[in-house]
Amino acid sequence: AKDYELRQYETAKWVSTVIRGETQKEAMRQGFWKLFHYIRGKNEKEMKIDMTVPVTCLIKSACTDFKISFFVPFEHQDSPPQPTDSDVFIEERKAAAIFVRSFGGFASPEKYAEEAEVLARILRNRGQPFHEDFFYTAGYDSPFKLFNRHNEVWYFKK
C-alpha cells in the first residue's frame, strides 16, 4: 500500500537492553550507549562489531520499560559474543510479518507515537489484524545525518 508496507522478517538475533522508568528519549540515549559499548568490545571476546541499523525501541502500552536493540550483523548471527554488562543480552526474534510505516526527518518520541497511531488507524480501517498492545520504533541514521533521514514504526501482524 502507498502508506505502509508488509515485510516478512526472518528469525534473527539482536543485542538488547531494557531501560526502566525513564522517558523514552532518555531510555533511548542510555540504551544506545550500553549497546554501543557492547559493539565496541564490551563483550566476552572483546570483539569490535560493526554498527548496524536499524536501532529499535519496543514501546508497550501503559508501560515505562523500553527495550532498545541493535541488529547483530549477519557474520555474527550464528554465535554473537556474549555481553559482559549484565544489563545487555542477546535475544532471538522469531520470523514475523510486520506492518511498516516509514517517515523522514528527526524522529521524536511524539513523532513516533503519532506515526504509530496513523499506521494503527490505517490497519484497522483496512481490517488488517495486528498486535495493538506494542509497536517498535526503528531509526536508521546517525544523529549527525541532517537530510534524507529514514525512520519507521512497526506493528506485528496477527
Side-chain angles (χ1 to χ4, degrees):
K2 68 179 184 347
D3 36 17
Y4 73 90
E5 60 184 295
L6 177 59
R7 293 184 193 151
Q8 179 64 42
Y9 281 97
E10 297 308 313
T11 298
K13 292 189 177 89
W14 295 69
V15 58
S16 301
T17 188
V18 175
I19 306 295
R20 293 178 173 82
E22 296 288 351
T23 64
Q24 183 182 341
K25 188 171 185 172
E26 179 59 19
M28 282 294 293
R29 190 190 69 73
Q30 288 182 23
F32 177 90
W33 285 110
K34 281 184 178 289
L35 299 174
F36 188 78
H37 292 308
Y38 166 82
I39 67 171
R40 299 307 329 138
K42 194 172 181 185
N43 57 64
E44 66 180 8
K45 296 180 182 168
E46 297 183 356
M47 179 188 290
K48 285 189 171 31
I49 299 168
D50 289 338
M51 176 80 201
T52 59
V53 292
V55 176
T56 65
C57 180
L58 173 61
I59 311 288
K60 293 187 274 189
S61 300
C63 181
T64 58
D65 294 355
F66 299 97
K67 182 170 67 176
I68 293 84
S69 307
F70 287 3
F71 179 76
V72 172
F74 292 109
E75 64 268 24
H76 300 293
Q77 280 286 318
D78 288 340
S79 60
Q82 287 303 305
T84 53
D85 179 338
S86 62
D87 291 339
V88 176
F89 56 95
I90 303 295
E91 67 169 322
E92 184 171 271
R93 294 188 193 165
K94 299 294 178 212
I98 301 176
F99 294 107
V100 178
R101 180 171 170 83
S102 300
F103 60 98
F106 279 90
S108 63
E110 296 76 22
K111 181 67 173 162
Y112 277 124
E114 180 184 307
E115 293 291 338
E117 185 46 49
V118 168
L119 178 56
R121 191 167 46 246
I122 291 166
L123 295 174
R124 282 187 213 106
N125 289 343
R126 298 205 179 137
Q128 291 283 6
F130 65 101
H131 293 277
E132 297 194 39
D133 53 332
F134 71 93
F135 68 91
Y136 280 90
T137 68
Y140 287 81
D141 301 304
S142 139
F144 307 109
K145 182 174 182 182
L146 300 180
F147 302 104
N148 300 318
R149 296 180 61 79
H150 184 81
N151 313 289
E152 297 174 347
V153 289
W154 299 352
Y155 276 111
F156 281 56
K157 183 175 180 170
K158 275 191 176 172

